Amino acid sequence: FQHSPGIWTGKDVYISKSVTLVPPVVIGNGVQIGPGSTIGPCAVLGDGVVVASGCSIVESVVLPGVQLQGNRAIVRTLVCRNGTVALQPPVDTAQQGVLQR
């Protein structure tokens, strides 16, 4: 479903009122985004992703099922349930707050 130009969401998505979406953004089914977060530009959140409050996700892909702790900046990174792949600069997984399910 395209909400506005460049912003697509799946079904059963919860986006807090104070979230900022900067196109282009693709949000999968069952995603939850906490207050004060900024998603985009160029961000993809896979099905079932949970983004806690205060996160920033820019030029990144978060694969299905990942839970991100609050107040994290994810920039130019591929995030999966077992770790991250930084495109630039290097990313310390512990600092990113990536939780495994």
Side-chain angles (χ1 to χ4, degrees):
F1 173 75
Q2 186 169 359
H3 283 278
S4 60
I7 299 176
W8 294 270
T9 65
K11 297 178 182 179
D12 301 318
V13 171
Y14 170 77
I15 301 173
S16 177
K17 292 180 182 180
S18 62
V19 169
T20 301
L21 300 176
V22 182
V25 172
V26 176
I27 299 172
N29 297 316
V31 171
Q32 299 175 32
I33 305 173
S37 294
T38 299
I39 311 299
C42 301
V44 177
L45 304 180
D47 292 347
V49 167
V50 176
V51 179
S53 62
C55 288
S56 174
I57 302 173
V58 177
E59 296 180 3
S60 297
V61 175
V62 181
L63 296 179
V66 171
Q67 295 184 5
L68 297 173
Q69 293 178 348
N71 301 309
R72 303 291 180 211
I74 308 294
V75 179
R76 299 195 70 198
T77 303
L78 172 64
V79 181
C80 63
R81 292 184 348 181
N82 295 321
T84 63
V85 177
L87 302 176
Q88 181 185 10
V91 174
D92 178 353
T93 302
Q95 290 180 355
Q96 290 299 319
V98 178
L99 299 178
Q100 298 179 21
R101 274 196 164 175

